[in-house]
Amino acid sequence: MKFDFLKRICCPPEYLAMSSAGIEIGNKFIRFVEFGNEGGRTILSNFGEVSLGQDTVKDGQILNRDALVQALKVVKEKISSDFVRVSIPEEGTYIFNTVIPRLNKNEIRSALEFKLEENVPLKVDEAVFEYEIVNGKEDGNDDMFLGVSVISRQMINNYLEVFELADLKIVSFELESKMAAKAIVPSNYNVTVLVVDIKRDSTILSVVIGGRVRFSSVVSVGESSMISCLKRINKDNSVSDKIPLSFLDLNDNLGVEAFDSLLNIYSILKDEIEKFNTYWLTQTANTETSRSDKPRKIVFCGRSAALPGFLNHISQSLGIETILANVWVNAIDTDKFLPTLGFVDSLDYATAIGLAMPCKE
């Protein structure tokens, strides 16, 4: 597969997107989702995860190519399509906003090349980028406010190589934060939302306005920190690589000692969310839209967000409404079709669901 295929990180035609699986690669798991059609309605037709061995992938960097290829071959056996849309881990991507004068459509990309090195630690020839017009129109009369997404060219090439070896055909590469937002922020919700996606070893924070990710950051605290706390409390080995579902049934089954142990992690994440929110508000304080940029809601995904007391701690500390995500809100009418993937476990699949959804842009 030639790199020319990825001159643009673009939306594929809808007929191809509908037949492609969404694949998210993390530090410990590869997750996949496929949608189908039954009687004219969208259904969840396939989902699952394949474990990755230690030191196979770390924060988007491929450490053991052969092990990753073998895991992808297992995924290939489980999905119905050879065409896939793949998320690039947030640690290997950058998002920035910029304003440029009115230009013709075919001039915009050249103008943005001059902005790249001012905003990301990559040279132009080391980067692949795409943009969205947030305000203003191509060939219009006003300045254009653009959201720019940037991925390392070397990372793209590394992922292309392993997918080729696994005989899977990549339709597009996407950013984790964008795909999670695509899945969980209602399409008709136009106010500012903070999305908090708790991964295995990190947490992705992103500002979403009108369905578009305007700013994102990664903090190095994730589910593994919570698992370590619970392992110290539960000496019976009931906690292994995953937090038991019995701890995540939205009832307080933890006990006082476990809750007190987790409270430190809750507070660390609360502080990171607060710093992120403060930075965002500082950056937009002098804009005409500063009032609408203030987050009205925090939406959490990642199954560890269902730990008892966590959302209350965040909400009470920050004074912002805090909820668990509905990962099906834009994909499936759950009044007509109820997915077999349970609610708590579905919180881990937001990125893969967004990848598997057809592109409507």
Side-chain angles (χ1 to χ4, degrees):
M1 186 181 298
K2 294 182 179 179
F3 184 76
D4 288 350
F5 176 72
L6 287 164
K7 283 184 177 177
R8 289 175 64 88
I9 305 171
C10 60
C11 260
E14 186 165 334
Y15 73 88
L16 187 55
M18 279 295 292
S19 62
S20 59
I23 293 183
E24 175 193 6
I25 298 177
N27 288 351
K28 287 287 186 178
F29 306 98
I30 299 175
R31 294 192 175 94
F32 59 88
V33 167
E34 290 182 288
F35 289 112
N37 189 288
E38 185 179 90
R41 62 187 179 183
T42 301
I43 64 168
L44 175 67
S45 61
N46 193 12
F47 69 91
E49 66 179 33
V50 173
S51 297
L52 291 176
Q54 187 174 5
D55 297 329
T56 299
V57 175
K58 178 65 174 175
D59 299 338
Q61 299 298 322
I62 300 171
L63 305 179
N64 188 330
R65 186 188 68 169
D66 293 341
L68 182 56
V69 170
Q70 290 306 309
L72 287 170
K73 286 182 177 179
V74 174
V75 172
K76 178 179 169 64
E77 294 174 357
K78 294 177 179 289
I79 60 178
S80 62
S81 175
D82 290 342
F83 293 95
V84 295
R85 298 178 70 207
V86 181
S87 63
I88 292 293
E90 206 75 9
E91 290 88 347
T93 64
Y94 307 91
I95 295 174
F96 69 90
N97 304 304
T98 190
V99 177
I100 62 173
R102 174 179 60 85
L103 294 171
N104 294 324
K105 182 177 181 178
N106 59 3
E107 298 175 316
I108 295 175
R109 295 186 66 83
S110 296
L112 287 176
E113 288 182 355
F114 291 101
K115 297 278 189 177
L116 284 184
E117 292 186 38
E118 298 175 11
N119 291 278
V120 301
L122 294 171
K123 298 182 183 299
V124 171
D125 60 359
E126 297 172 343
V128 178
F129 70 93
E130 191 50 87
Y131 68 87
E132 293 178 305
I133 299 175
V134 179
N135 288 315
K137 296 181 179 179
E138 292 172 342
D139 306 322
N141 296 317
D142 301 322
D143 286 348
M144 292 183 290
F145 187 94
L146 306 177
V148 186
S149 306
V150 187
I151 301 177
S152 158
R153 184 184 296 262
Q154 184 59 56
M155 181 172 283
I156 291 285
N157 285 335
N158 291 341
Y159 276 85
L160 277 172
E161 182 178 308
V162 296
F163 275 84
E164 283 186 51
L165 291 170
D167 199 24
L168 287 167
K169 301 172 179 62
I170 296 176
V171 174
S172 67
F173 286 107
E174 309 288 350
L175 276 64
E176 281 185 309
S177 57
K178 287 193 171 186
M179 293 300 99
K182 181 180 178 182
I184 70 176
V185 178
S187 56
N188 60 351
Y189 199 71
N190 292 318
V191 301
T192 303
V193 177
L194 284 186
V195 173
V196 181
D197 190 358
I198 303 176
K199 302 291 188 181
R200 175 70 183 189
D201 300 311
S202 62
T203 296
I204 302 172
L205 311 175
S206 53
V207 176
V208 182
I209 304 177
R212 291 187 173 96
V213 175
R214 296 279 294 276
F215 179 59
S216 72
S217 183
V218 182
V219 298
S220 57
V221 180
E223 184 182 36
S224 60
S225 299
M226 300 178 187
I227 291 173
S228 296
C229 286
L230 292 173
K231 280 183 175 180
R232 288 196 294 269
I233 301 301
N234 292 269
K235 308 298 185 182
D236 58 357
N237 296 319
S238 61
V239 180
S240 55
D241 252 1
K242 278 194 171 185
I243 299 172
L245 195 59
S246 60
F247 290 175
L248 299 166
D249 63 359
L250 308 184
N251 295 312
D252 190 354
N253 294 329
L254 289 177
V256 175
E257 188 180 9
F259 180 81
D260 288 345
S261 178
L262 285 167
L263 191 58
N264 182 52
I265 305 300
Y266 293 176
S267 295
I268 291 172
L269 278 170
K270 181 267 297 181
D271 290 344
E272 293 292 347
I273 294 167
E274 188 171 32
K275 285 191 292 185
F276 177 81
N277 186 38
T278 299
Y279 178 81
W280 167 251
L281 293 177
T282 300
Q283 296 302 301
T284 60
N286 297 320
T287 66
E288 293 180 3
T289 59
S290 59
R291 287 187 179 180
S292 62
D293 287 338
K294 183 178 180 180
R296 305 296 178 85
K297 187 177 293 188
I298 305 176
V299 183
F300 278 84
C301 46
R303 69 200 298 272
S304 55
L307 278 166
F310 179 55
L311 263 62
N312 283 340
H313 181 77
I314 300 296
S315 180
Q316 291 176 9
S317 299
L318 300 183
I320 304 174
E321 181 185 359
T322 303
I323 63 171
L324 291 173
N326 173 7
V327 299
W328 312 115
V329 66
N330 295 318
I332 292 175
D333 184 347
T334 52
D335 291 333
K336 297 179 179 179
F337 174 82
L338 189 62
T340 54
L341 179 58
F343 172 72
V344 170
D345 286 330
S346 75
L347 295 169
D348 271 343
Y349 281 81
T351 298
I353 289 167
L355 287 163
M357 289 169 58
C359 184
K360 296 181 180 179
E361 296 181 15

